[in-house]
Amino acid sequence: MKNLYIQFREEKSGWKEKLLYYYKPIELKNVERDQELEMEEKLVELPKWKKKEKFKQKIEEIRKKEKINQFLFTEEVKNYLGEEVIKKEQCKLHQKINRSFLWEELQYLLKCQGKNTQNIDLYLLVNEYSKEMKEVLSFFALSYKVINILSKNQKYYTRWIERMEEKEQTNFIYSRNYRKSLAKAKIIINIDFTSQDLKKFKLNPNAILFNLSEEKLSFQQVFNGILVTGVGMEADEQKLGIYSELKSFSFEEIYLARMDPNLSYEEVIRKIKKDNVKVKYLKGINGIIDEKEYKCLL
């Protein structure tokens, strides 16, 4: 595995520097570290004056030459390149971030509300039917009262739920009543439904909805609840080997880009707990969500 970090280079913008860099081959330098990591990491700094198309060409050059597993960009570079360029690189990583930290996000929310998992019903909007998603559902079912599944893949999920019941895991419900199933739901997790899909439902206007999909949701009805769109995590970065050179990069992206992609969902959650990675705040459409807002919905 090899991760590549891309940021702008702090340099003078005189013609000599530009000329020098133009003829100078791409330089990848090792990321500073005091401990051995499971993968190789490189850092490349590109000049701000380079045009987008040239930037894209450089990225492709690096991809072919270095066999990169994951690209990571600073926010400044992301904003410069635009979503159309970085989406390919970021899509899988963002999906991993959304799913991997969901357990801790829910624990944080319930702690703010003074509740525990045993009394909570979760509603999941999920069309994806995969090994990973079944691992996620099974893991949550061990702690939560009821897992309600809403999906276009009724045939697959109803059969899977029947198999789970044979193993005495009986707190899964496939909800067939699309119109009313979310009217009383307090916590909703959207895996991959679109705004168009949500039009079919009557949402609880005071629900807390975690949006894990890539699409930004819009509502046709009045929604006074909380829409969670992201998370800020924190940990002892020095202990985890995230040193000064990477200060401009997202902690969440670095942490999960380094994680073995072959770990099961349960193993991912165990590692997060072992590394003492915790939720610092949840993000909504207007930025960081104040903890008081969760209590207001009680």
Side-chain angles (χ1 to χ4, degrees), residues 1-230:
M1 291 173 64
K2 186 185 288 187
N3 293 335
L4 182 71
Y5 300 87
I6 300 180
Q7 65 183 14
F8 284 126
R9 191 165 77 175
E10 294 182 9
E11 62 179 352
K12 296 178 181 178
S13 57
W15 68 269
K16 288 183 179 179
E17 287 84 6
K18 289 185 179 182
L19 191 65
L20 177 66
Y21 193 81
Y22 187 83
Y23 289 105
K24 193 177 180 182
I26 298 170
E27 276 196 293
L28 303 176
K29 61 180 181 180
N30 289 321
V31 174
E32 173 191 354
R33 64 174 66 173
D34 291 336
Q35 57 181 273
E36 284 301 314
L37 299 176
E38 294 178 1
M39 76 287 297
E40 187 179 353
E41 293 188 330
K42 299 283 187 179
L43 180 68
V44 61
E45 297 175 316
L46 297 175
K48 292 181 183 179
W49 51 264
K50 195 157 293 281
K51 292 181 180 179
K52 261 188 211 182
E53 287 305 312
K54 292 288 185 182
F55 221 142
K56 286 163 66 177
Q57 287 175 18
K58 290 289 185 186
I59 291 172
E60 286 304 314
E61 282 179 40
I62 296 168
R63 185 201 307 281
K64 291 174 183 177
K65 184 179 178 181
E66 298 291 328
K67 297 179 181 178
I68 300 298
N69 179 64
Q70 180 67 60
F71 284 81
L72 291 96
F73 307 91
T74 62
E75 281 301 315
E76 191 178 17
V77 173
K78 288 180 189 176
N79 293 334
Y80 176 73
L81 290 177
E83 190 175 338
E84 71 278 1
V85 177
I86 67 168
K87 190 171 183 180
K88 178 182 176 183
E89 309 298 343
Q90 296 283 285
C91 191
K92 284 188 178 180
L93 182 56
H94 282 175
Q95 184 185 78
K96 191 172 183 179
I97 288 170
N98 290 338
R99 296 181 183 186
S100 299
F101 293 135
L102 179 61
W103 175 264
E104 292 295 330
E105 290 178 51
L106 287 168
Q107 294 295 306
Y108 169 84
L109 167 66
L110 296 178
K111 184 179 178 181
C112 290
Q113 292 190 325
K115 294 182 178 181
N116 57 63
T117 57
Q118 291 86 353
N119 300 320
I120 300 297
D121 291 3
L122 292 182
Y123 289 77
L124 281 97
L125 312 181
V126 52
N127 290 320
E128 175 189 332
Y129 183 77
S130 63
K131 179 184 176 183
E132 179 189 5
M133 189 48 56
K134 287 183 284 186
E135 285 182 359
V136 172
L137 294 169
S138 296
F139 184 80
F140 276 84
L142 295 174
S143 300
Y144 285 84
K145 183 181 175 183
V146 177
I147 305 295
N148 298 274
I149 301 171
L150 290 87
S151 176
K152 292 177 182 177
N153 283 316
Q154 177 182 344
K155 179 175 70 174
Y156 297 109
Y157 272 113
T158 49
R159 287 178 181 174
W160 179 68
I161 289 172
E162 287 171 3
R163 292 197 297 271
M164 297 305 291
E165 286 174 345
E166 290 173 3
K167 298 178 182 179
E168 298 186 352
Q169 197 163 0
T170 59
N171 57 337
F172 289 107
I173 296 176
Y174 182 88
S175 184
R176 293 178 173 83
N177 191 338
Y178 265 45
R179 288 292 300 166
K180 297 181 180 179
S181 54
L182 298 180
K184 295 182 179 179
K186 294 179 180 178
I187 301 179
I188 304 167
I189 300 166
N190 179 40
I191 302 295
D192 55 11
F193 275 34
T194 64
S195 296
Q196 196 67 28
D197 292 329
L198 285 177
K199 287 181 181 179
K200 301 172 185 176
F201 299 93
K202 182 179 179 182
L203 292 175
N204 176 0
N206 296 311
I208 298 175
L209 196 161
F210 289 80
N211 184 33
L212 275 61
S213 73
E214 290 297 311
E215 182 184 337
K216 293 179 181 178
L217 296 182
S218 59
F219 302 97
Q220 298 296 311
Q221 63 178 75
V222 175
F223 184 72
N224 300 316
I226 297 174
L227 177 61
V228 180
T229 60

